[in-house]
């Protein structure tokens, strides 16, 4: 077969499903499939107990498909069950040169080192470092990349000084994988790809678009219930519960004196028949209502779902948003309802996933249409989405090492599997530093490191050198050079002495800015830093030294509109005096200076903007002459909303002064005009043509008439 087709095998506890899937332009099609049940209990709890019997069933499926399709099947994509599954987190963080883009090789080496740390941690927890090779990594998921401490979806092509990755790696004991390999070898098949059953099921049951939700996948088979958890777009935990459908079958066999196959057949009929005829090993027959048998099985179902719920909440640290069930065991009567009850979530939040939900995978095989079809379809689909790697054996520094499913069959994977630490894999040159000092560029070099020595079959190689079965690898790690080191104090001269700030004495220290931010003069200066410094005895530097935050010392420019007129003002949140005289923050002072400062509001108010201006006056007409009454106020609106005189403004605010809402009265005009009284005459007053008195309100444009009678 070419790379557009794959033969996938789901080797389960009760049955084996083999299928040939074809990748088309916009979907995947199952060309043919075959399912056979084990004739004996060749497998229990997901573990192969009879290699020859399992191999015979695999070969029968292989021969049947070859005959129907007229093709030769030489290799298969398979998945290992989660029995004795171990998971371990791994993290790796690296500093690197900022002068080059991050390459695929760097990311690959970073991931492999994180997996190695997870593998070593597991070995330490299990039986010490000498036991590390008793467990094999069958897959890992990247939980998060980070660049300069910030989470990022992809590192390749980025530029940064510090990169990191966090992975969750899954491991199985050697015996589990070896028995799987032996069965396929006896059936005349090679390993095309190897993954973990929950990883395969997850590929189709919960695609990446659904992984922003906090979901649990439960693959309930005959021997085990495999669990995977996702949230925030990533897989973060795997687990296995050693109870599944066989527990129910064994109960029926013991309760009604049935052989295992009869008990299994009886269990499957419960969901499709109202009554089931039971024939025990003594050929006694009885007709039992399916509901009665379901009631008898309910305590076992509750016990199983209770254990599954316990593992889910333990790993997730809370109840997930929903649970997706796959596998034939998920069809057990009332199982999803029981699991919802144990988790304390609505019943409609626990559902069964089938191929009918997948518009990108097409099959006409009935035994693949239910939830039991998800895992075999996932194994095939996983082959296309994650490039497979065949199993080989190589020698690393004279020791035989097995490699499989590490994402690439290369030297890096071989070093990891051999137990060699990949810390400081590359002897990087000591990091040089290129800095800018007051506009001038200066380069400080680090010392050179040594390169790693990698030889494959006696020839020079690299981490990405592809390997073949029987290759021999010699590896010697490189050593890093010493990086350049420079502090601010090396660059900036200091002025010695003391100054007083608001009554407290402070020693004058050199103060510099790196990339526009204050910087400790004794701290190492980072690469590509932009350094600026002036005399350290400026008011700004001294106030920063006294503990005043930088934002109090920044002069801000505000642009606003007053009655549609654009106005620009500057605002400094502090007022400073040096030796009793007003000073600016850029002013230089000598040792012994007495500096005082007081804080103003961080942002100006309307009063601050308009104090000292004539915006508050109104214009009126008195006996035909224009008169201005200063300082009589007005109604204030900011962006159409009523405001008070002490309200702060924002940049771009539109301020409107409604002088019709001011507080002026007629008597205010006598403060700006002089009226000579007439002898024995009465003052007549009119405002806008109406008789008025001294307390009559006046506003912008009012016409006032004064006369004597």
């Amino acid at each position: 077969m070419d790379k557009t087709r794959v033969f996938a095998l789901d080797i389960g506890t009760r049955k084996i499903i083999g299928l040939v899937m074809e990748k088309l332009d916009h979907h995947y099609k199952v060309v043919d499939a075959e399912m056979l049940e084990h004739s004996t209990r060749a497998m229990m709890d997901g573990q192969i107990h009879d290699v020859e019997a399992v191999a015979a069933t695999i070969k029968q499926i292989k021969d049947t498909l070859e005959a129907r399709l007229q093709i030769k099947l030489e290799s298969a994509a398979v998945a290992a069950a989660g029995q004795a599954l171990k998971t371990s987190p791994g993290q790796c963080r690296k500093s690197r040169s900022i002068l080059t883009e991050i390459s695929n090789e760097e990311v690959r080496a970073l991931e492999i080192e994180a997996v190695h740390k997870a593998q070593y941690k597991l070995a330490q927890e299990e039986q010490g470092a000498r036991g590390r090779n008793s467990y094999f990594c069958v897959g890992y998921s990247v939980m998060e990349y980070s660049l300069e401490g910030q989470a990022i979806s992809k590192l390749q092509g980025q530029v940064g000084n510090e990169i990191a990755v966090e992975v969750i790696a899954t491991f199985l004991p050697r015996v589990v994988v070896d028995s799987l390999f032996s069965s396929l070898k006896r059936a005349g098949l090679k390993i095309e790809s190897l993954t973990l059953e929950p990883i395969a099921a997850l590929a189709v049951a919960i695609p990446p678009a659904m992984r922003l939700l906090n979901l649990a996948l439960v693959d309930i088979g005959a021997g085990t219930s495999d669990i995977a958890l996702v949230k925030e777009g990533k897989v973060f935990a795997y687990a296995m519960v050693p109870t599944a459908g066989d527990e129910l079958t064994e109960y029926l066999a013991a309760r009604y004196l049935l052989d295992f196959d009869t008990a299994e057949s009886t269990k499957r009929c419960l969901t499709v028949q109202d009554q089931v005829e039971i024939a025990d090993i003594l050929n006694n027959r009885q007709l039992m209502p399916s509901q009665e048998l379901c009631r008898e099985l309910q305590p076992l179902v509750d016990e199983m779902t209770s254990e599954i719920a316990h593992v889910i909440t333990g790993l997730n640290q809370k109840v997930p948003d929903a649970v997706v069930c796959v596998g034939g065991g998920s069809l057990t009567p009332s199982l999803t309802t029981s699991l919802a009850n144990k988790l304390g979530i609505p019943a409609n939040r626990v559902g069964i996933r089938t191929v009918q939900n997948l518009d990108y995978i097409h099959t006409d095989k009935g035994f693949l249409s239910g939830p039991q079809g998800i895992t075999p379809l996932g194994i095939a689909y996983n082959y296309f989405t994650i490039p497979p790697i065949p199993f080989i054996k190589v020698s690393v520094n004279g020791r035989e090492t097995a490699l499989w499913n590490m994402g690439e069959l290369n030297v890096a994977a071989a070093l990891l599997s051999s137990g060699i630490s990949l810390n400081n894999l590359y002897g990087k040159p000591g990091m040089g530093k290129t800095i800018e000092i007051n506009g001038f560029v200066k380069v400080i070099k680090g010392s050179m490191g040594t390169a790693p020595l990698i030889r494959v079959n006696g020839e020079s190689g690299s981490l990405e050198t592809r390997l073949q079965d029987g290759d021999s690898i010699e590896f010697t790690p490189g050593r890093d050079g010493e990086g350049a080191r420079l502090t601010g104090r090396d660059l900036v001269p200091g002025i010695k002495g003391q100054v007083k700030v608001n009554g407290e004495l402070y020693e004058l220290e050199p103060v510099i800015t790196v990339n526009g931010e204050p910087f400790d003069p004794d701290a190492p200066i980072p690469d590509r830093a932009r350094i600026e410094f002036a005399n350290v005895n400026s008011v700004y530097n001294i106030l920063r030294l006294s503990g005043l935050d930088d934002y109090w010392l920044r002069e801000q420019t505000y642009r606003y509109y007053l009655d549609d007129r654009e106005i620009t003002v500057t605002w400094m949140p502090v007022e400073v005096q040096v030796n009793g005289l007003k000073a600016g923050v850029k002013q230089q002072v000598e040792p012994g200076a007495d500096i005082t400062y007081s804080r103003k509001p961080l942002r100006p108010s309307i009063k601050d903007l308009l104090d000292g201006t004539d915006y508050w006056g109104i214009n009126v007409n008195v006996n035909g002459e224009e008169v201005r009454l200063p300082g009589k106020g007005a109604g204030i609106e900011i962006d159409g909303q009523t405001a008070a005189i002490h309200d702060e403004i924002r940049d771009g605010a539109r301020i409107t002064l409604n002088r019709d809402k001011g507080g002026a009265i007629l008597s205010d005009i006598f403060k700006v005009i002089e009226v000579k009284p007439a002898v024995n005459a009465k003052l007549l007053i009119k405002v806008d043509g109406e008789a008025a008195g001294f307390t009559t309100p006046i506003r912008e444009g009012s016409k006032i008439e004064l006369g004597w009678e």
Side-chain angles (χ1 to χ4, degrees):
M1 291 188 295
D2 58 26
K3 293 298 182 181
T4 62
R5 283 189 175 186
V6 65
F7 176 42
L9 281 169
D10 180 14
I11 304 173
T13 301
R14 289 299 306 146
K15 54 185 174 291
I16 299 177
I17 297 177
L19 63 89
V20 175
M21 179 181 281
E22 183 177 22
K23 181 181 181 181
L24 302 175
D25 289 339
H26 302 293
H27 67 277
Y28 300 85
K29 178 183 178 181
V30 176
V31 180
D32 201 356
E34 186 71 16
M35 179 181 71
L36 287 177
E37 293 199 17
H38 298 291
S39 57
T40 64
R41 297 198 71 183
M43 293 184 65
M44 286 185 286
D45 297 336
Q47 169 63 43
I48 297 174
H49 284 249
D50 188 337
V51 172
E52 292 186 354
V54 172
T57 306
I58 294 173
K59 189 174 187 308
Q60 188 176 348
I61 292 175
K62 168 180 170 288
D63 292 344
T64 300
L65 291 175
E66 285 180 335
R68 288 207 295 249
L69 297 174
Q70 294 297 299
I71 59 175
K72 182 66 175 175
L73 301 176
E74 297 179 343
S75 60
V78 295
Q83 188 202 37
L85 170 70
K86 299 288 184 180
T87 62
S88 182
Q91 301 87 28
C92 183
R93 187 178 302 275
K94 287 286 186 181
S95 295
R96 61 181 303 280
S97 171
I98 200 171
L99 300 178
T100 59
E101 292 183 353
I102 301 169
S103 66
N104 289 331
E105 185 180 35
E106 278 187 275
V107 177
R108 183 67 184 146
L110 188 73
E111 291 175 4
I112 289 177
E113 185 169 345
V115 175
H116 170 74
K117 290 180 178 180
Q119 188 177 30
Y120 187 80
K121 178 182 177 183
L122 176 65
Q124 293 290 87
E125 293 173 351
E126 290 296 315
Q127 51 183 329
R130 289 180 298 175
R132 70 183 65 169
N133 287 326
S134 62
Y135 280 91
F136 287 85
C137 179
V138 292
Y140 70 91
S141 299
V142 174
M143 298 177 68
E144 184 175 85
Y145 294 113
S146 65
L147 178 65
E148 304 290 8
Q150 299 294 319
I152 195 168
S153 60
K154 190 174 182 180
L155 286 173
Q156 287 91 336
Q158 303 281 354
V159 175
N161 180 252
E162 183 180 83
I163 57 176
V165 68
E166 182 177 357
V167 303
I168 179 169
T170 56
F171 302 88
L172 288 178
R174 176 191 294 271
V175 63
V176 174
V177 180
D178 283 350
S179 62
L180 183 62
F181 278 35
S182 296
S183 297
L184 267 71
K185 184 177 180 181
R186 286 173 182 264
L189 291 169
K190 296 179 181 179
I191 296 289
E192 185 73 20
S193 70
L194 172 67
T195 188
L196 198 66
E197 286 186 359
I199 294 178
L202 200 68
V204 293
I206 305 180
M210 295 171 57
R211 295 180 188 177
L212 290 176
L213 300 172
N214 183 201
L215 304 176
L217 171 75
V218 183
D219 183 0
I220 306 171
T224 62
S225 296
D226 295 320
I227 297 169
L229 294 168
V230 301
K231 66 178 178 181
E232 298 175 356
K234 55 200 175 191
V235 185
F236 70 94
Y238 296 101
M240 184 275 296
V241 175
T243 57
D246 278 358
E247 303 286 330
L248 307 178
T249 304
E250 290 168 358
Y251 173 83
L252 290 175
R255 174 68 176 82
Y256 294 100
L257 204 61
L258 309 175
D259 63 70
F260 188 85
D261 290 338
T262 302
E264 178 69 19
S265 177
T266 300
K267 182 186 72 174
R268 294 179 187 178
C269 291
L270 295 178
T271 57
V272 295
Q273 296 179 198
D274 294 334
Q275 291 183 316
V276 180
E277 185 180 23
I278 298 176
D280 63 23
I281 60 173
L282 300 176
N283 206 29
N284 297 313
R285 296 179 178 274
Q286 56 179 320
L287 198 61
M288 296 284 295
S290 296
Q291 288 187 350
E292 182 177 334
L293 292 175
C294 289
R295 281 195 298 270
E296 287 198 45
L297 291 175
Q298 191 62 48
L300 275 75
V301 173
D302 290 340
E303 184 178 339
M304 184 187 347
T305 56
S306 179
E307 190 169 352
I308 292 171
H310 176 73
V311 172
I312 289 174
T313 53
L315 289 173
N316 201 52
Q317 297 297 303
K318 64 173 184 176
V319 175
D321 297 333
V323 180
V324 177
C325 295
V326 298
S330 63
L331 296 174
T332 301
S334 75
L335 183 138
T336 57
T337 302
S338 176
L339 182 55
N341 289 336
K342 298 299 182 183
L343 288 170
I345 60 178
N348 62 0
R349 293 255 175 150
V350 179
I352 296 175
R353 189 83 161 160
T354 67
V355 72
Q356 280 81 10
N357 306 122
L358 310 175
D359 56 1
Y360 54 91
I361 297 179
H362 299 167
T363 179
D364 57 2
K365 295 295 182 180
F367 57 83
L368 291 175
S369 62
Q372 68 273 16
I374 291 294
T375 298
L377 292 171
I379 295 170
Y381 179 75
N382 192 68
Y383 165 82
F384 291 114
T385 55
I386 300 178
I389 301 299
F391 169 79
I392 67 169
K393 290 184 179 180
V394 298
S395 172
V396 178
N397 289 349
R399 177 173 150 196
E400 188 177 78
T401 301
L403 302 176
W404 54 73
N405 198 43
M406 285 302 297
E408 281 191 66
L409 213 60
N410 54 22
V411 169
L415 296 178
L416 172 64
S417 295
S418 70
I420 291 177
S421 174
L422 299 185
N423 289 323
N424 301 317
L425 179 63
Y426 291 98
K428 298 184 293 293
M431 294 289 290
K433 293 182 179 179
T434 302
I435 59 177
E436 180 184 316
I437 307 174
N438 284 357
F440 294 94
V441 176
K442 184 175 183 179
V443 178
I444 299 96
K445 294 182 178 180
S447 64
M448 297 299 296
T450 62
L453 175 63
I454 299 175
R455 300 183 71 83
V456 179
N457 300 327
E459 302 291 334
S460 295
S462 70
L463 283 178
E464 298 301 316
T465 300
R466 307 290 290 185
L467 298 178
Q468 297 180 357
D469 194 30
D471 281 350
S472 177
I473 303 166
E474 298 174 24
F475 170 74
T476 303
R479 290 179 297 178
D480 291 344
E482 294 291 330
R485 178 179 171 83
L486 190 69
T487 68
R489 203 177 292 276
D490 295 329
L491 302 173
V492 183
I495 294 179
K496 295 184 178 180
Q498 292 181 327
V499 293
K500 187 181 292 185
V501 180
N502 283 1
E504 293 189 29
L505 288 174
Y506 292 90
E507 295 288 339
L508 286 176
E509 288 274 351
V511 177
I512 64 174
T513 61
V514 173
N515 300 327
E517 298 293 331
F519 196 77
D520 181 355
D522 292 314
I525 293 176
D527 188 34
R528 303 180 73 84
R530 188 182 73 256
I531 302 168
E532 295 180 355
F533 69 90
N535 293 329
V536 298
N537 57 332
S538 69
V539 170
Y540 173 88
N541 289 339
I542 293 170
L543 293 184
R544 289 289 291 117
L545 178 66
S546 73
L548 188 63
D549 289 327
D550 181 65
Y551 55 80
W552 289 103
L553 301 170
R554 295 177 185 168
E555 188 175 72
Q556 301 291 331
T557 299
Y558 288 86
R559 176 182 55 85
Y560 67 98
Y561 296 86
L562 180 62
D563 291 337
D564 295 326
R565 176 185 174 191
E566 184 176 353
I567 301 174
T568 301
V569 298
T570 57
W571 180 257
M572 175 63 74
V574 295
E575 291 184 351
V576 184
Q577 289 189 336
V578 176
N579 298 326
L581 300 176
K582 186 175 181 180
V585 296
K586 295 181 180 179
Q587 179 173 321
Q588 307 295 316
V589 300
E590 297 297 325
D594 186 0
I595 302 172
T596 59
Y597 71 87
S598 60
R599 295 184 179 92
K600 299 190 296 186
L602 281 174
R603 288 167 291 278
S605 66
I606 297 173
K607 185 176 186 304
D608 294 320
L609 297 177
L610 301 183
D611 265 2
T613 70
D614 196 26
Y615 285 112
W616 297 110
I618 64 173
N619 296 306
V620 295
N621 184 288
V622 181
N623 290 344
E625 293 185 7
E626 293 295 327
V627 175
R628 183 169 181 82
L629 300 179
K632 295 312 297 180
I636 305 170
E637 291 183 352
I638 298 181
D639 297 329
Q641 301 294 320
T642 301
I645 187 67
H646 294 290
D647 285 355
E648 293 182 349
I649 70 161
R650 61 171 182 80
D651 190 45
R654 291 186 176 273
I655 304 172
T656 303
L657 300 180
N658 189 342
R659 293 172 177 81
D660 288 342
K661 296 182 180 180
I665 59 177
L666 187 135
S667 62
D668 291 326
I669 68 171
F670 298 116
K671 298 177 181 178
V672 295
I673 66 172
E674 182 179 357
V675 178
K676 295 182 179 180
V679 179
N680 297 323
K682 179 182 178 182
L683 181 63
L684 296 178
I685 304 173
K686 287 185 179 181
V687 174
D688 296 328
E690 299 289 335
F694 288 105
T695 59
T696 298
I698 58 175
R699 55 187 59 84
E700 177 74 15
S702 290
K703 292 184 178 181
I704 303 168
E705 299 175 40
L706 302 177
W708 298 95
E709 181 182 44

